Amino acid sequence: MSNFVTQQTRVRMLSTALVILSGILRLYACYDNIHTSPVDTTALANWNAGQTVSTAAIEAFGGLDKCFAAEPIPDGVWGRMQGKTYKENPYIGRDDLRYVRALHWDYDEQIHIGEMICNVQIAERVATILRQLYEAKYPIERMLLPDVYNADDETQMRDNNTSCFCYRAVAGTTVLSKHARGLAVDINTLYNPYYKDRADGTRYVQPATAGEYCDRTKSFPYKIDHNDLCFRLFTEAGFEWGGDWKSCKDFQHFELIED
């Protein structure tokens, strides 16, 4: 009888040991999968602007130094710009512009791939500012080339897009905008609109859907004011802010102060 009990005990002990070993193996498999599976960096390698990426993908791609740069405009990007943000003109050409790669956080703390075309005069400064904003987790909702919106400024502003170069005139005039030379950056455009009060008491607002954000006493996401990091970084780097203008207000707008 005692031999039978002993045998039963051994069987139970062996069964318990097998269950524990199986659990350990499953845990090890999960750990191994988490720590050794390759991270997909395709979106970063192809620089697919607008896509979200993880911090693990950024590390696998080579870190932040590879994600912030100002470089000659790639052929594919230049092709996308033709007839949209870029039109043949006597003032500015491809060699005067740079393609800026950057990452940015949105208000929901997701990381996005961003892109921007800037004048060579400001491209390095802008890339540095965008990296500082990223490292501070400053929220920028979208950073796509205006060509995605067929270079229609109203449409991209309604989508809260952040951008720089677009060969166009100042709205309602024939005067070339600083954007036409790639010397002005617009940040979080829906929540930081342009407006001008007319002599007849009416107010002209761009984008037209942003009327409520003209009241700067209110609190809302993506708002730029004098206490804002974006304001401080751009003005310290030699830009003026449209929010300080007297005849109109352009809260999204930072343009290079030229001699």
Side-chain angles (χ1 to χ4, degrees), residues 159-175:
D159 204 32
N160 203 32
N161 190 50
T162 291
S163 69
C164 178
F165 175 75
C166 185
Y167 194 81
R168 61 176 175 81
V170 176
T173 76
T174 58
V175 178

Side-chain angles (χ1 to χ4, degrees), residues 138 191-192 216-220 222-232 235 241 243-244 251 254:
Y138 183 92
Y191 298 94
N192 298 285
R216 309 309 278 185
T217 65
K218 293 182 177 179
S219 179
F220 44 81
Y222 301 109
K223 178 183 174 184
I224 299 172
D225 58 25
H226 285 114
N227 298 315
D228 189 69
L229 176 62
C230 190
F231 167 83
R232 180 170 64 80
T235 53
W241 181 44
D244 284 329
F251 298 107
F254 295 93

Side-chain angles (χ1 to χ4, degrees), residues 6 31 110 126 146 246:
T6 301
Y31 177 90
Q110 295 185 96
V126 170
K246 302 302 181 186

Side-chain angles (χ1 to χ4, degrees), residues 22-193:
S22 176
I24 291 172
L25 289 173
R26 283 198 299 272
L27 286 172
Y28 179 79
C30 290
Y31 177 90
D32 189 57
N33 183 58
I34 290 169
H35 290 270
T36 65
S37 294
V39 176
D40 187 4
T41 61
T42 302
L44 288 165
N46 295 328
W47 208 257
N48 295 329
Q51 288 199 16
T52 58
V53 291
S54 65
T55 53
I58 294 165
E59 284 295 311
F61 183 61
L64 291 182
D65 288 343
K66 289 191 65 176
C67 297
F68 290 86
E71 57 196 23
I73 301 175
D75 290 342
V77 174
W78 184 244
R80 280 195 279 146
M81 295 167 61
Q82 300 310 299
K84 294 179 181 178
T85 54
Y86 188 82
K87 301 173 181 67
E88 287 297 327
N89 71 90
Y91 306 110
I92 192 162
R94 184 174 182 175
D95 290 341
D96 301 309
L97 302 168
R98 291 292 181 268
Y99 180 70
V100 175
R101 292 187 285 113
L103 300 174
H104 60 99
W105 296 86
D106 67 13
Y107 203 75
D108 295 322
E109 297 194 352
Q110 295 185 96
I111 303 170
H112 299 258
I113 297 172
E115 60 183 355
M116 188 180 291
I117 301 293
C118 298
N119 192 295
V120 67
Q121 293 182 56
I122 68 169
E124 292 290 350
R125 270 181 277 183
V126 170
T128 297
I129 290 169
L130 292 176
R131 178 161 181 171
Q132 290 172 304
L133 292 174
Y134 172 83
E135 289 174 339
K137 288 193 173 183
Y138 183 92
I140 295 175
E141 187 167 13
R142 253 175 286 283
M143 194 187 299
L144 306 171
L145 299 188
D147 306 281
V148 172
Y149 305 90
N150 288 313
D152 184 85
D153 203 36
E154 176 72 14
T155 303
Q156 73 156 342
M157 285 192 291
R158 290 187 184 196
D159 204 32
N160 203 32
N161 190 50
T162 291
S163 69
C164 178
F165 175 75
C166 185
Y167 194 81
R168 61 176 175 81
V170 176
T173 76
T174 58
V175 178
L176 281 180
S177 165
K178 282 285 185 79
H179 291 287
R181 294 170 58 203
L183 293 174
V185 179
D186 288 344
I187 305 286
N188 289 329
T189 48
L190 174 63
Y191 298 94
N192 298 285

